Amino acid sequence: MATRKIDFPVANVRRYLEPGPIVLVSSAWRDKRNIMTMGWHTVMEFVPALVGCVIAGGNYSFSLIRRSGECVINLPTTALTDTVVGIGNCSGAAVDKFEKFGLTALPARNVKASLIAECHANFECRLKDDSLVDRYNFFIFEVVKAHVAPRPKYPQTLHYTGDGVFVVSGKIVSRRSQFRPKML
Amino acid sequence: MATRKIDFPVANVRRYLEPGPIVLVSSAWRDKRNIMTMGWHTVMEFVPALVGCVIAGGNYSFSLIRRSGECVINLPTTALTDTVVGIGNCSGAAVDKFEKFGLTALPARNVKASLIAECHANFECRLKDDSLVDRYNFFIFEVVKAHVAPRPKYPQTLHYTGDGVFVVSGKIVSRRSQFRPKML
């Protein structure tokens, strides 16, 4: 089911990405589009809002992203577990994954790749630095626009351990009172 | 409490790091040592076993790691929640964090930095590539030795969302039967 989103400050996307969830990366180049499942990513900076990630050269998405210099990082919840697995186990060279998995492609604001409406959050990204792509397939993106569903505040996300097994995000623990203000 | 570890294949450290836990990074340089809390990291390759991470230049650990070219990435569980927060909220320039937090420093096999005995896993790392350190504080390490407690199989880990709030890893969901063998 599609969830309504509101604008979210890009400098704060660590809120959703730092916990390390599996994400769905959507891309587009000319008349082609695709979605891939990705688990190798990290926040790199607040301002500009940088995210680094590994996109293996064998993926159909690799050339779409390298050529367009854009993508959308979408955050699925456990409601999409089978979709996440299905997307990771077929190739966009053979099928249109939006159609195959019944996902809704919404237009993004600043990039050509589509937002996946059924995801909890969508982060529009532009390629900022490709200097480590040849050596490590490592792309550094700047998040230029963020859309997040206001509820639930802590969505149940999937965290991949390999071997077909996910750990699901569980309870929330606040230690806010123990932090020095500048460390928050 | 210290946990007994066994050798673990370095090519499979994604098992513990890909879910995105907060880790404790221990370092040493000459007569100095330190521990820092780190949430910005990603697996980058299986073989060699590469992990990329951001270590801000303002951290006391930054120079110890840059000069020694080594560190240990230690995986704490929820049993160490207050220690993780405490370590992230004081500076190694002022205190010895092993002493302050009552942590046991065990000798590593291949690096000078110590293993933190109380953590669930310890990954000995050597700096592999510092080409993005000046621009992004981004270090690429090779894990050269891994030590993991055999139980529990899925330790409760902490995943940071910012603002003093952690999400704890929860239930385990296997979709192994839906994966193509080469995607496992």
Side-chain angles (χ1 to χ4, degrees), chain A residues 18-19 40-42 82 88-89 129 132 135-136 159-160 163-164 166 168 170-171 173 175-176 180 183, chain B residues 18-19 40-42 82 88-89 129 132 135-136 159-160 163-164 166 168 170-171 173 175-176 179-180 183:
Chain A
E18 185 169 337
W40 290 6
H41 58 81
T42 180
D82 291 324
N89 279 275
D129 189 326
L132 292 190
R135 247 180 301 169
Y136 303 107
H159 301 251
Y160 193 53
D163 212 32
F166 299 87
V168 175
K171 67 178 177 187
V173 172
R175 287 291 187 278
R176 199 168 200 285
R180 287 189 295 150
M183 303 306 289
Chain B
E18 184 169 338
W40 291 5
H41 59 79
T42 180
D82 292 324
N89 280 277
D129 189 327
L132 292 191
R135 247 179 301 170
Y136 303 107
H159 301 252
Y160 193 53
D163 213 31
F166 299 87
V168 175
K171 66 179 178 186
V173 172
R175 286 291 187 279
R176 198 168 201 285
F179 277 66
R180 286 189 295 148
M183 302 307 288

Side-chain angles (χ1 to χ4, degrees), chain A residues 33-67:
Chain A
R33 63 180 183 177
N34 198 28
I35 311 174
M36 68 173 282
T37 299
M38 183 176 74
W40 290 6
H41 58 81
T42 180
V43 179
M44 293 182 68
E45 187 52 277
F46 295 110
V47 180
L50 301 184
V51 177
C53 48
V54 176
I55 297 169
N59 283 300
Y60 185 66
S61 296
F62 180 91
S63 68
L64 303 192
I65 292 170
R66 188 138 207 209
R67 287 173 182 171

Side-chain angles (χ1 to χ4, degrees), chain A:
Chain A
M1 207 169 65
T3 49
R4 198 180 60 85
K5 314 288 193 317
I6 58 175
D7 283 354
F8 185 83
V10 294
N12 200 21
V13 295
R14 71 100 64 100
R15 163 74 184 74
Y16 295 97
L17 295 179
E18 185 169 337
I22 274 282
V23 295
L24 295 174
V25 178
S26 47
S27 54
W29 168 244
R30 295 188 176 163
D31 62 339
K32 297 180 185 352
R33 63 180 183 177
N34 198 28
I35 311 174
M36 68 173 282
T37 299
M38 183 176 74
W40 290 6
H41 58 81
T42 180
V43 179
M44 293 182 68
E45 187 52 277
F46 295 110
V47 180
L50 301 184
V51 177
C53 48
V54 176
I55 297 169
N59 283 300
Y60 185 66
S61 296
F62 180 91
S63 68
L64 303 192
I65 292 170
R66 188 138 207 209
R67 287 173 182 171
S68 64
E70 297 177 347
C71 72
V72 178
I73 296 176
N74 304 272
L75 180 66
T77 65
T78 49
L80 291 176
T81 304
D82 291 324
T83 301
V84 165
V85 173
I87 286 172
N89 279 275
C90 65
S91 169
V95 293
D96 180 285
K97 297 195 192 180
F98 283 95
E99 286 179 18
K100 181 177 170 76
F101 296 100
L103 296 171
T104 310
L106 295 179
R109 180 89 66 91
N110 296 321
V111 302
K112 199 181 156 218
S114 299
L115 315 177
I116 301 175
E118 289 78 5
C119 285
H120 185 80
N122 316 107
F123 305 125
E124 302 183 20
C125 296
R126 282 217 192 93
L127 184 56
K128 168 85 170 178
D129 189 326
D130 68 354
S131 61
L132 292 190
V133 171
D134 288 337
R135 247 180 301 169
Y136 303 107
N137 294 321
F138 188 71
F139 293 74
I140 300 176
F141 294 109
E142 179 175 355
V143 181
V144 293
K145 182 83 188 158
H147 316 262
V148 175
R151 274 174 303 275
K153 190 172 176 192
Y154 293 98
Q156 266 210 324
T157 49
L158 294 159
H159 301 251
Y160 193 53
T161 73
D163 212 32
V165 176
F166 299 87
V167 181
V168 175
S169 64
K171 67 178 177 187
I172 309 304
V173 172
S174 176
R175 287 291 187 278
R176 199 168 200 285
S177 62
Q178 297 174 27
F179 277 66
R180 287 189 295 150
K182 73 165 191 165
M183 303 306 289
L184 283 170

